[in-house]
Amino acid sequence: MTAEIITIGDELLIGQVINSNQAFIAERFNTVGIVTERMTTVGDSDVPVREAFAAAFARHDVVAVTGGLGPTHDDITKRLVCEFFGTDLVTDEGTLAHIKELAQRRNLPLIQSNLDQALVPRSCTVIPNRNGTAPGMLFERDGRYFAVMPGVPFEMKAMVDDWLLPFFAGRSDGLIVRHRTLKTTGIGESMLAKRIGDVSEFLGTDGSATLAFLPNPMGTKLRITVKHRDAAFVDASLARIESALRARAERYIYASDEQELEHVVGRLLNEQRRTLALAESCTGGFIAHRVTNVPGSSAYFLRGFVTYSDRAKTEDLGVPAELIARHGAVSAETAEAMAAGARRRSGADIALSCTGIAGPGGGSPEKPVGLCYIGFADAARTFALKFSFGDHRLRFKDRASQAALELLRRSLLRFDTLDG
Amino acid sequence: MTAEIITIGDELLIGQVINSNQAFIAERFNTVGIVTERMTTVGDSDVPVREAFAAAFARHDVVAVTGGLGPTHDDITKRLVCEFFGTDLVTDEGTLAHIKELAQRRNLPLIQSNLDQALVPRSCTVIPNRNGTAPGMLFERDGRYFAVMPGVPFEMKAMVDDWLLPFFAGRSDGLIVRHRTLKTTGIGESMLAKRIGDVSEFLGTDGSATLAFLPNPMGTKLRITVKHRDAAFVDASLARIESALRARAERYIYASDEQELEHVVGRLLNEQRRTLALAESCTGGFIAHRVTNVPGSSAYFLRGFVTYSDRAKTEDLGVPAELIARHGAVSAETAEAMAAGARRRSGADIALSCTGIAGPGGGSPEKPVGLCYIGFADAARTFALKFSFGDHRLRFKDRASQAALELLRRSLLRFDTLDG
């Protein structure tokens, strides 16, 4: 079955609210074989809502509408739904009882506008709203479905998960859609595409599988999508395509699906019972922040030094002042000395360091903005790698932290070479 | 002028990515008098994209399209735009030079798929993309406009702010919509609303001005919106309403519009020529990260210590081991000793510290998850404040960093009392 999601609300059209309802519904619909083909947002006014209803229900098997069901004057959805389906409002006793019970439980006065929410279109099936007073409603016409829900995310989400998905799970027409995402880093989108080569070699030619490249400052995600009526076929295809991608780009794939790089290195450090220290200059604590976003990271992360000044590098990490004077604070030599110093001071098994020019100021022809050295020290070796991360300060931090954690991942996995 | 925003991408239709581009463009369009009436999302396939282009350009003065401009096989937008406007691709020399320069600066190989991004439709005006290789393009037909930009948010945002808004600012048709946002922290939404009282007293009754409360973990934003055809009226209304809000809640307002708290304290530290050091435990480097997000922060930020282990607190900050043993690592005493130690070790004028239980584990009945102490030390005093920041690890870091920086702001502004 195909779907269109319609979100209604002036707050969306002025950009006051980022629309997260669409993504939620689309993701959930996917799990029961409903493929969203279009999303439309219109404001709280009659003509565009009417047009959107008609266009969507003509084109798709399922239409999901959110928004405009509250008790205030700008909530017009219920009236327009009645008009669209040629029906009128009747009191739903179950909803009325729920509204009274909710008011009592929350210690709220029962005013008329709340009681009016028990009025529902005569020809709909009520979708219960356990978290609020506005009920949802489902219409069916000739095997097609039109669902209307409030726009409040936590009310809508519970209605989708508790009621709408079980309802559709038994009715969808069998097309199964599954995704797998492989997350890469340390290679540009174009080079990755070149390495992977002709995708038709492993996607097959029956159109059931697609591959998307999704770049961002942390790396490029490869998203595999397989659509088919046979679940075993879908799983086999996903596995085959994942293998093909791994055969071509294994080195750069650090995680699958929603996992972040800090979780991957955290798991490796835990498994290998190794501890970590950090010495940061240009990233200003961002690597430590990412490492400590992982619950339980205190098991392996001992401490970090944010040595923003040269004096801090010398006093906290023991980087010789004359080394900084000779090579500069942004140099391979300083990065190495920072990592070695953090390791020595903390007693950690491994230390990473980072020194660079995040910009926008501070660059020179020899050392331009974006230049960055990542240092590494463990019992066996101390070295630094050189990078260039562009001239946007926050993107620079994203890229530098990702490169540092990726270097750690490769070292923990004992890659032959750690760069490139 | 009215607008439709079209976002293209399968990742949106499967719910993998929440669409933040629409809200950004709509909000920015508002500032130059362009009213967004519809938002449409379609996938990476020819028929729905074609239909969306035709329907939107027939209905609205401005169409803004994002997505599908990358170098890989699933990026179809450029081809379909050429088809829609009946034109072909030519190399844009300016874009080609930019791509070569960017590749050199980022130390990337120049492969054909990157060079191909310099191909643009013959009949468009190129919108430069300073943060990436895919140029934007603007078409004009009979006083209506069709703008196409990449879907990568930070590339698109710079193109809108640097190029598209100045372009449209001179061409829109009269209704002026301006917003001003006052950012508050350290007070809950309900208490803030109570303090501000009856908004009709200062908004006026002609409907031209509205006030929205926008709560988030960093605090509550107050957004004033004024719509009118007379620019002087709009500016006078904004100024009057801002004054009224400041009279009622000045203490809690730390910034206006897009400014972050780290920029505000950075400016104050610079003006007062004072230096800062940080000692973080539970926030794991996040406060240092925020402080160093400000360009030029090296002028006042000397260093940070991320003392995740007790041993690090003792060795790097000189917190006595017996003090930690007696009061616990999460205590007012430890927070004070951390701040004092960071100040002493760094020689900074002011030091902040933070120790707490970010969760999800590590809580106890006496010291539950969410408990946090923020320490402060300057030449005159050393003290700690107690907070409770909830049980969501990342929200905890947001709130704790905000409370620490707000404490710094109040101390730099010499508030009589620093808490509450």
Side-chain angles (χ1 to χ4, degrees), chain A residues 39 41 292 388 393 397, chain B residues 39 41 105 292-293 393 397:
Chain A
M39 296 163 166
T41 302
T292 60
S388 178
R393 191 172 180 91
K397 282 183 161 186
Chain B
M39 297 164 165
T41 303
R105 187 145 45 91
T292 60
N293 278 347
R393 192 173 178 88
K397 283 183 162 186

Side-chain angles (χ1 to χ4, degrees), chain A residues 12-20 22-23 26-27 30 36-43 48 51-52 59 179 181 189-191 193-194 199 203 211-215 217 221 223 225 258 282-286 288-290 292-298 301-309 311-312 315-316 345-347 359-360 369 388 390-395 397 399, chain B residues 10-20 22-24 26-27 30 36-43 48 51-52 59 70-75 105-109 111 113-114 130-131 152 154 179 212 214 223 227 282-286 288-290 292-298 301-309 311-312 315-316 345-347 359-360 393-394 397:
Chain A
L12 297 165
L13 290 184
I14 66 166
Q16 181 174 8
V17 171
I18 290 175
N19 196 331
S20 62
Q22 290 178 334
E27 191 270 322
N30 250 227
T36 300
E37 293 192 336
R38 185 184 286 256
M39 296 163 166
T40 299
T41 302
V42 287
E51 285 177 3
R59 271 192 296 241
H179 308 281
T181 301
E189 183 188 6
S190 308
M191 281 304 289
K194 200 175 162 194
V199 296
L203 288 182
L211 177 68
F213 287 72
L214 306 169
K221 296 181 194 176
R223 195 194 57 231
T225 301
E258 293 312 303
C282 54
T283 45
F286 186 56
H289 168 53
R290 289 186 61 185
T292 60
N293 278 348
V294 181
S297 47
S298 57
F301 178 59
L302 302 185
R303 64 182 97 171
F305 300 88
V306 184
T307 51
Y308 226 52
S309 62
R311 209 182 118 201
E315 290 182 3
D316 295 338
R345 298 275 166 127
S346 65
V369 170
S388 178
D391 60 359
H392 185 286
R393 191 172 180 91
L394 272 59
R395 295 293 89 72
K397 282 183 161 186
R399 292 191 170 127
Chain B
D10 287 343
E11 72 279 13
L12 298 164
L13 289 184
I14 66 168
Q16 183 169 29
V17 171
I18 291 175
N19 196 331
S20 61
Q22 288 178 334
F24 176 85
E27 191 270 320
N30 248 229
T36 301
E37 292 194 336
R38 186 183 286 257
M39 297 164 165
T40 299
T41 303
V42 288
E51 285 177 5
R59 272 193 295 241
T72 58
H73 70 281
D74 54 336
D75 292 309
R105 187 145 45 91
R106 292 188 185 166
N107 210 9
L108 297 171
I111 58 179
S113 62
N114 284 335
R130 66 176 152 89
N131 293 319
V152 181
F154 88 103
H179 308 280
L214 308 169
R223 200 199 52 232
K227 300 183 192 181
C282 55
T283 45
F286 186 55
H289 168 52
R290 288 186 61 185
T292 60
N293 278 347
V294 181
S297 47
S298 58
F301 178 59
L302 301 185
R303 65 182 97 170
F305 301 88
V306 185
T307 53
Y308 226 52
S309 63
R311 211 183 118 201
E315 290 181 4
D316 295 337
R345 297 275 167 127
S346 66
R393 192 173 178 88
L394 272 60
K397 283 183 162 186

Side-chain angles (χ1 to χ4, degrees), chain A residues 336-391:
Chain A
E336 289 175 11
M338 286 170 68
R343 184 168 178 275
R344 192 172 57 243
R345 298 275 166 127
S346 65
D349 298 315
I350 302 171
L352 296 173
S353 70
C354 187
T355 180
I357 303 163
S364 68
E366 304 77 46
K367 296 189 176 181
V369 170
L371 177 66
C372 185
Y373 292 90
I374 309 275
F376 178 97
D378 67 6
R381 58 200 163 164
T382 299
F383 63 92
L385 300 178
K386 183 180 178 180
F387 295 89
S388 178
F389 293 128
D391 60 359

